Amino acid sequence: MYSQGLIGADGSTEETQDFLDAFQKRIDAEEKIEPNDAMPEGYRKTLVRQIGQHAHSEIVGMLPEGNWITRAPSLRRKAALLAKVQDEGGHGLYLYSAAETLGVSREQMTEELLSGKAKYSSIFNYPTLSWADIGIIGWLVDGAAIMNQIPLCRCSYGPYARAMIRVCKEESFHQRQGYEIVMYLARGTEAQREMVQDALNRWWWPSLMMFGPHDADSAHSEQSMEWKIKRFSNDALRQKFIDATVPQAEFLGLTLPDPDLKWNAEKGGYDHGDIDWEEFWRVVKGNGVMNRDRIKARKKAWDDGAWVREAALAHADKRAARKQAAE
Amino acid sequence: MALFNALLELADDHLVLGHRLSEWCGHAPMLEEDLAMPNMALDLIGTARVLYDHAGKVEGQGRDEDALAYLRGEREYRNCLLVERENGDFAVTMLRQLYFAAFMEPYWQAGLDSSDEVIKGVAGKAVKEMAYHIRHAGEWVIRLGDGTEESAARMRDAVEELHCFTEELFEEGAAEGVDALPSRAAIRPIWQATIVRIFAEAGLSMPEAVYPQTGGRSGQHNEVLGHMLAEMQSLHRAHPGAVW
């Protein structure tokens, strides 16, 4: 689903200046870098980290939305949510495959997720407390993801850029679906309207945090921009998201929970209140309300499934041996 | 009314099993299965929706798919007991899927000739879906049965747990005498052949005659269904008349 605001990427690299210059020249010429091309170690590491975080976000992101599949209020919504969560799993799969082209295995990445070494988008460490959260996540969280991922379709690394094209199409469908859920609730009974306003109140600020720290505090952004892994700064994307979302909320008669939000004619965009960065870092560092539960759920699925994966391998070996014996 | 009741039985089978599969979403043993199980669940829920819609129209009381799915209690549900069984481990889930799909594929084959246009339409789509459910679940039953010592033991336990619920698949139920629907009893030899073939490859033996557990078609369920419906229906029932 998302991974702007890459946390803790290490872009350090040790190649000669000539090598780096030649590489930069290819980047500047907008050539796509492909798996077998020579690349600086820092470029490779940054991508492994970013694509891995992105893949993990898709997988962990299945949990908060999956929380409502069994309680979806109509069969149409149940089918749509199931399909949506399945799409997220599919995104995880392409992304792990894209990362594997850089020489890291899905198993390795999974172990890093489960050990807490690899991060995933902090947005999924918030709980889904009502059905309205499903609509709001589609509208805001997938909306924020799209803002970030559209530029990734032009990322310098070919496999990542190509994966993003399909991912973006699906995300844009998810966003419309989320907005449609929200629209029904906003025009529904009083209880439904309260439910959706409450969900908006809870998800608005975390959605803004999805774009990562302010540019001044974003440690590794500059190198990523230079390598054209990243095309726009965190703050620029956040602004774009706010400007697109405010009129959508107004259309629905919903109130965004920020008294300082107002149109600034001079800059041609909205000004907004201060983001609580203390909360952001607290959740990133593992102290959000759902961090432990999310990893616990992933770990349980992985551990409980170990015998299945072992059996599949054992059967494949036996089958191969039988085939060989028959030849 | 017989057609209405028979359609409900079919629709309930599909919704309940689809719901059970959907419970796995995000918790599967591997990412590929996190995609495959929702896929199969979507097939089943999609079929259930068409059948409920059709049943509502046949009944003519203005009940739509959601009224039928969300506003009937466990005593009114008419699914067979097999599909309501809890997911258990992956062996139980895959065997349950195989047992059901191995029945439904030939059932829908027969349904291709139905005099009822809706049934015919559903059959045309579902017959392909059930064929790949057999393939997918069947391959897992083989992998697990032939895999490690542990997986083979789990697979045998799954057979032990579920086999007594298979007899009910062949009960005609409300469809007795309904011409638009295929005979369930006639499916038995085809089902049997599919299971025997897959079990042979999986190294599993067909259980001796076990005492058949039935009752779903008359609303006599196991305890597990009430919990499933309580969860599934909670939000819908908490907001009577709301549109979602």
Side-chain angles (χ1 to χ4, degrees), chain B residues 138-157:
Chain B
E139 281 173 6
W140 272 114
V141 167
I142 293 166
R143 275 186 208 112
L144 299 178
D146 182 55
T148 60
E149 216 168 285
E150 180 182 1
S151 70
R154 284 176 182 262
M155 208 61 243
R156 286 193 300 273
D157 289 348

PDB file of all heavy atoms in Angstrom, chain B residues 138-157:
ATOM      1  N   GLY B 138      -7.120 -30.347  -4.054  1.00  0.00           N
ATOM      2  CA  GLY B 138      -6.646 -31.714  -4.259  1.00  0.00           C
ATOM      3  C   GLY B 138      -5.124 -31.791  -4.252  1.00  0.00           C
ATOM      4  O   GLY B 138      -4.533 -32.689  -3.656  1.00  0.00           O
ATOM      5  N   GLU B 139      -4.489 -30.820  -4.887  1.00  0.00           N
ATOM      6  CA  GLU B 139      -3.020 -30.814  -4.900  1.00  0.00           C
ATOM      7  C   GLU B 139      -2.467 -30.659  -3.484  1.00  0.00           C
ATOM      8  O   GLU B 139      -1.448 -31.248  -3.128  1.00  0.00           O
ATOM      9  CB  GLU B 139      -2.494 -29.694  -5.809  1.00  0.00           C
ATOM     10  CG  GLU B 139      -2.561 -30.084  -7.280  1.00  0.00           C
ATOM     11  CD  GLU B 139      -2.211 -28.934  -8.219  1.00  0.00           C
ATOM     12  OE1 GLU B 139      -1.810 -27.852  -7.746  1.00  0.00           O
ATOM     13  OE2 GLU B 139      -2.349 -29.136  -9.448  1.00  0.00           O
ATOM     14  N   TRP B 140      -3.157 -29.844  -2.683  1.00  0.00           N
ATOM     15  CA  TRP B 140      -2.693 -29.700  -1.292  1.00  0.00           C
ATOM     16  C   TRP B 140      -2.898 -30.975  -0.487  1.00  0.00           C
ATOM     17  O   TRP B 140      -2.048 -31.354   0.314  1.00  0.00           O
ATOM     18  CB  TRP B 140      -3.367 -28.501  -0.615  1.00  0.00           C
ATOM     19  CG  TRP B 140      -2.597 -27.235  -0.838  1.00  0.00           C
ATOM     20  CD1 TRP B 140      -2.996 -26.146  -1.541  1.00  0.00           C
ATOM     21  CD2 TRP B 140      -1.272 -26.939  -0.366  1.00  0.00           C
ATOM     22  NE1 TRP B 140      -2.004 -25.188  -1.543  1.00  0.00           N
ATOM     23  CE2 TRP B 140      -0.944 -25.637  -0.828  1.00  0.00           C
ATOM     24  CE3 TRP B 140      -0.336 -27.636   0.391  1.00  0.00           C
ATOM     25  CZ2 TRP B 140       0.288 -25.032  -0.550  1.00  0.00           C
ATOM     26  CZ3 TRP B 140       0.893 -27.022   0.666  1.00  0.00           C
ATOM     27  CH2 TRP B 140       1.193 -25.748   0.200  1.00  0.00           C
ATOM     28  N   VAL B 141      -4.030 -31.620  -0.708  1.00  0.00           N
ATOM     29  CA  VAL B 141      -4.271 -32.872   0.015  1.00  0.00           C
ATOM     30  C   VAL B 141      -3.160 -33.869  -0.337  1.00  0.00           C
ATOM     31  O   VAL B 141      -2.619 -34.560   0.536  1.00  0.00           O
ATOM     32  CB  VAL B 141      -5.680 -33.431  -0.318  1.00  0.00           C
ATOM     33  CG1 VAL B 141      -5.841 -34.872   0.170  1.00  0.00           C
ATOM     34  CG2 VAL B 141      -6.757 -32.530   0.298  1.00  0.00           C
ATOM     35  N   ILE B 142      -2.766 -33.892  -1.601  1.00  0.00           N
ATOM     36  CA  ILE B 142      -1.685 -34.789  -2.026  1.00  0.00           C
ATOM     37  C   ILE B 142      -0.351 -34.363  -1.399  1.00  0.00           C
ATOM     38  O   ILE B 142       0.377 -35.176  -0.827  1.00  0.00           O
ATOM     39  CB  ILE B 142      -1.590 -34.831  -3.571  1.00  0.00           C
ATOM     40  CG1 ILE B 142      -2.842 -35.508  -4.136  1.00  0.00           C
ATOM     41  CG2 ILE B 142      -0.315 -35.550  -4.030  1.00  0.00           C
ATOM     42  CD1 ILE B 142      -3.040 -35.329  -5.636  1.00  0.00           C
ATOM     43  N   ARG B 143      -0.047 -33.057  -1.503  1.00  0.00           N
ATOM     44  CA  ARG B 143       1.218 -32.579  -0.924  1.00  0.00           C
ATOM     45  C   ARG B 143       1.309 -32.893   0.561  1.00  0.00           C
ATOM     46  O   ARG B 143       2.344 -33.338   1.054  1.00  0.00           O
ATOM     47  CB  ARG B 143       1.320 -31.049  -1.068  1.00  0.00           C
ATOM     48  CG  ARG B 143       1.856 -30.612  -2.390  1.00  0.00           C
ATOM     49  CD  ARG B 143       2.059 -29.092  -2.394  1.00  0.00           C
ATOM     50  NE  ARG B 143       1.917 -28.636  -3.750  1.00  0.00           N
ATOM     51  CZ  ARG B 143       0.919 -27.877  -4.200  1.00  0.00           C
ATOM     52  NH1 ARG B 143      -0.009 -27.433  -3.374  1.00  0.00           N
ATOM     53  NH2 ARG B 143       0.864 -27.542  -5.456  1.00  0.00           N
ATOM     54  N   LEU B 144       0.223 -32.637   1.267  1.00  0.00           N
ATOM     55  CA  LEU B 144       0.264 -32.833   2.718  1.00  0.00           C
ATOM     56  C   LEU B 144       0.250 -34.312   3.067  1.00  0.00           C
ATOM     57  O   LEU B 144       0.977 -34.761   3.956  1.00  0.00           O
ATOM     58  CB  LEU B 144      -0.911 -32.112   3.381  1.00  0.00           C
ATOM     59  CG  LEU B 144      -0.953 -30.586   3.178  1.00  0.00           C
ATOM     60  CD1 LEU B 144      -2.184 -29.989   3.850  1.00  0.00           C
ATOM     61  CD2 LEU B 144       0.311 -29.905   3.697  1.00  0.00           C
ATOM     62  N   GLY B 145      -0.563 -35.077   2.335  1.00  0.00           N
ATOM     63  CA  GLY B 145      -0.622 -36.519   2.604  1.00  0.00           C
ATOM     64  C   GLY B 145       0.704 -37.199   2.317  1.00  0.00           C
ATOM     65  O   GLY B 145       1.125 -38.114   3.021  1.00  0.00           O
ATOM     66  N   ASP B 146       1.404 -36.716   1.319  1.00  0.00           N
ATOM     67  CA  ASP B 146       2.658 -37.338   0.882  1.00  0.00           C
ATOM     68  C   ASP B 146       3.880 -36.561   1.374  1.00  0.00           C
ATOM     69  O   ASP B 146       5.004 -36.867   1.027  1.00  0.00           O
ATOM     70  CB  ASP B 146       2.661 -37.394  -0.666  1.00  0.00           C
ATOM     71  CG  ASP B 146       3.912 -38.062  -1.216  1.00  0.00           C
ATOM     72  OD1 ASP B 146       4.189 -39.208  -0.812  1.00  0.00           O
ATOM     73  OD2 ASP B 146       4.624 -37.427  -2.027  1.00  0.00           O
ATOM     74  N   GLY B 147       3.668 -35.510   2.179  1.00  0.00           N
ATOM     75  CA  GLY B 147       4.786 -34.629   2.564  1.00  0.00           C
ATOM     76  C   GLY B 147       5.629 -35.174   3.688  1.00  0.00           C
ATOM     77  O   GLY B 147       6.383 -36.139   3.510  1.00  0.00           O
ATOM     78  N   THR B 148       5.504 -34.598   4.862  1.00  0.00           N
ATOM     79  CA  THR B 148       6.294 -35.037   6.013  1.00  0.00           C
ATOM     80  C   THR B 148       5.428 -35.947   6.886  1.00  0.00           C
ATOM     81  O   THR B 148       4.225 -36.074   6.658  1.00  0.00           O
ATOM     82  CB  THR B 148       6.711 -33.824   6.864  1.00  0.00           C
ATOM     83  OG1 THR B 148       5.520 -33.155   7.311  1.00  0.00           O
ATOM     84  CG2 THR B 148       7.564 -32.855   6.070  1.00  0.00           C
ATOM     85  N   GLU B 149       6.060 -36.512   7.875  1.00  0.00           N
ATOM     86  CA  GLU B 149       5.323 -37.356   8.820  1.00  0.00           C
ATOM     87  C   GLU B 149       4.218 -36.546   9.491  1.00  0.00           C
ATOM     88  O   GLU B 149       3.085 -36.994   9.634  1.00  0.00           O
ATOM     89  CB  GLU B 149       6.315 -37.856   9.875  1.00  0.00           C
ATOM     90  CG  GLU B 149       6.044 -39.260  10.352  1.00  0.00           C
ATOM     91  CD  GLU B 149       7.239 -39.747  11.155  1.00  0.00           C
ATOM     92  OE1 GLU B 149       8.286 -40.076  10.540  1.00  0.00           O
ATOM     93  OE2 GLU B 149       7.113 -39.755  12.387  1.00  0.00           O
ATOM     94  N   GLU B 150       4.588 -35.331   9.875  1.00  0.00           N
ATOM     95  CA  GLU B 150       3.616 -34.482  10.566  1.00  0.00           C
ATOM     96  C   GLU B 150       2.426 -34.135   9.657  1.00  0.00           C
ATOM     97  O   GLU B 150       1.269 -34.235  10.067  1.00  0.00           O
ATOM     98  CB  GLU B 150       4.273 -33.174  11.049  1.00  0.00           C
ATOM     99  CG  GLU B 150       3.257 -32.289  11.760  1.00  0.00           C
ATOM    100  CD  GLU B 150       3.799 -30.942  12.229  1.00  0.00           C
ATOM    101  OE1 GLU B 150       4.984 -30.652  11.986  1.00  0.00           O
ATOM    102  OE2 GLU B 150       3.003 -30.187  12.827  1.00  0.00           O
ATOM    103  N   SER B 151       2.742 -33.757   8.417  1.00  0.00           N
ATOM    104  CA  SER B 151       1.646 -33.336   7.531  1.00  0.00           C
ATOM    105  C   SER B 151       0.738 -34.519   7.201  1.00  0.00           C
ATOM    106  O   SER B 151      -0.482 -34.362   7.096  1.00  0.00           O
ATOM    107  CB  SER B 151       2.191 -32.679   6.265  1.00  0.00           C
ATOM    108  OG  SER B 151       2.818 -33.614   5.425  1.00  0.00           O
ATOM    109  N   ALA B 152       1.341 -35.710   7.063  1.00  0.00           N
ATOM    110  CA  ALA B 152       0.534 -36.897   6.763  1.00  0.00           C
ATOM    111  C   ALA B 152      -0.393 -37.197   7.936  1.00  0.00           C
ATOM    112  O   ALA B 152      -1.574 -37.526   7.750  1.00  0.00           O
ATOM    113  CB  ALA B 152       1.439 -38.084   6.464  1.00  0.00           C
ATOM    114  N   ALA B 153       0.135 -37.047   9.152  1.00  0.00           N
ATOM    115  CA  ALA B 153      -0.692 -37.304  10.345  1.00  0.00           C
ATOM    116  C   ALA B 153      -1.826 -36.286  10.427  1.00  0.00           C
ATOM    117  O   ALA B 153      -2.970 -36.618  10.734  1.00  0.00           O
ATOM    118  CB  ALA B 153       0.178 -37.234  11.599  1.00  0.00           C
ATOM    119  N   ARG B 154      -1.510 -35.030  10.129  1.00  0.00           N
ATOM    120  CA  ARG B 154      -2.550 -33.989  10.174  1.00  0.00           C
ATOM    121  C   ARG B 154      -3.618 -34.254   9.117  1.00  0.00           C
ATOM    122  O   ARG B 154      -4.801 -34.014   9.334  1.00  0.00           O
ATOM    123  CB  ARG B 154      -1.928 -32.616   9.948  1.00  0.00           C
ATOM    124  CG  ARG B 154      -1.183 -32.057  11.171  1.00  0.00           C
ATOM    125  CD  ARG B 154      -0.538 -30.741  10.779  1.00  0.00           C
ATOM    126  NE  ARG B 154       0.248 -30.115  11.815  1.00  0.00           N
ATOM    127  CZ  ARG B 154      -0.207 -29.131  12.615  1.00  0.00           C
ATOM    128  NH1 ARG B 154      -1.447 -28.702  12.507  1.00  0.00           N
ATOM    129  NH2 ARG B 154       0.586 -28.589  13.517  1.00  0.00           N
ATOM    130  N   MET B 155      -3.164 -34.743   7.964  1.00  0.00           N
ATOM    131  CA  MET B 155      -4.107 -35.037   6.892  1.00  0.00           C
ATOM    132  C   MET B 155      -5.030 -36.187   7.303  1.00  0.00           C
ATOM    133  O   MET B 155      -6.244 -36.125   7.067  1.00  0.00           O
ATOM    134  CB  MET B 155      -3.297 -35.397   5.635  1.00  0.00           C
ATOM    135  CG  MET B 155      -3.956 -35.107   4.333  1.00  0.00           C
ATOM    136  SD  MET B 155      -4.348 -33.380   4.066  1.00  0.00           S
ATOM    137  CE  MET B 155      -6.091 -33.522   3.971  1.00  0.00           C
ATOM    138  N   ARG B 156      -4.462 -37.191   7.942  1.00  0.00           N
ATOM    139  CA  ARG B 156      -5.305 -38.310   8.415  1.00  0.00           C
ATOM    140  C   ARG B 156      -6.295 -37.825   9.465  1.00  0.00           C
ATOM    141  O   ARG B 156      -7.462 -38.218   9.464  1.00  0.00           O
ATOM    142  CB  ARG B 156      -4.418 -39.434   8.987  1.00  0.00           C
ATOM    143  CG  ARG B 156      -3.689 -40.244   7.921  1.00  0.00           C
ATOM    144  CD  ARG B 156      -3.094 -41.529   8.494  1.00  0.00           C
ATOM    145  NE  ARG B 156      -2.112 -41.256   9.561  1.00  0.00           N
ATOM    146  CZ  ARG B 156      -0.807 -41.022   9.325  1.00  0.00           C
ATOM    147  NH1 ARG B 156      -0.326 -41.028   8.086  1.00  0.00           N
ATOM    148  NH2 ARG B 156       0.011 -40.779  10.334  1.00  0.00           N
ATOM    149  N   ASP B 157      -5.836 -36.935  10.345  1.00  0.00           N
ATOM    150  CA  ASP B 157      -6.751 -36.378  11.356  1.00  0.00           C
ATOM    151  C   ASP B 157      -7.893 -35.600  10.701  1.00  0.00           C
ATOM    152  O   ASP B 157      -9.030 -35.634  11.169  1.00  0.00           O
ATOM    153  CB  ASP B 157      -6.002 -35.428  12.305  1.00  0.00           C
ATOM    154  CG  ASP B 157      -5.066 -36.176  13.246  1.00  0.00           C
ATOM    155  OD1 ASP B 157      -5.167 -37.423  13.307  1.00  0.00           O
ATOM    156  OD2 ASP B 157      -4.228 -35.522  13.902  1.00  0.00           O
TER     157      ASP B 157
END
